[in-house]
Amino acid sequence: MPQTAFWICWVIDQLGTLAALFAFVHALLQRADAYAAADRKTKPLWLAITGGATVIMGLTGFWGNGTIFWLAGMVASLVYIVDVRPKLIEVQRGGRNW
């Protein structure tokens, strides 16, 4: 792999892993009842998903034989960040009339 391509892949790998870690920490800091109020899965399930994604992404890389596992972890983390996180924030701020 050329040097430039290596560094691009390395940056993608590191940023993706940090995003997964952010998703895990955010899931950890939320109230358990907010998940039910937002009509999402339970807090322990999201902790397992985002925690597992973080571990998998930390152990594998964006390149090589572990790419498919890294991508699966990235998708799981992005689902939390893009779908679950905004709903949790909305519920905890009182955005809807429950």
Side-chain angles (χ1 to χ4, degrees):
M1 178 182 305
Q3 192 69 14
T4 305
F6 169 79
W7 286 109
I8 291 170
C9 287
W10 185 82
V11 168
I12 291 170
D13 182 41
Q14 298 304 306
L15 291 176
T17 304
L18 284 174
L21 182 61
F22 169 77
F24 175 72
V25 170
H26 187 272
L28 185 65
L29 296 176
Q30 302 310 302
R31 296 184 348 226
D33 62 338
Y35 290 87
D39 197 27
R40 297 298 182 254
K41 302 293 183 189
T42 64
K43 180 176 181 173
L45 181 62
W46 279 112
L47 286 174
I49 291 170
T50 57
T54 304
V55 169
I56 291 296
M57 292 173 73
L59 294 177
T60 62
F62 180 67
W63 61 89
N65 294 333
T67 302
I68 190 72
F69 300 110
W70 190 92
L71 288 173
M74 189 75 242
V75 167
S77 299
L78 288 177
V79 165
Y80 180 85
I81 291 170
V82 173
D83 182 46
V84 178
R85 182 177 174 267
K87 293 293 184 185
L88 292 175
I89 291 171
E90 179 183 336
V91 164
Q92 293 180 70
R93 286 188 182 160
R96 290 187 181 173
N97 295 325
W98 298 100

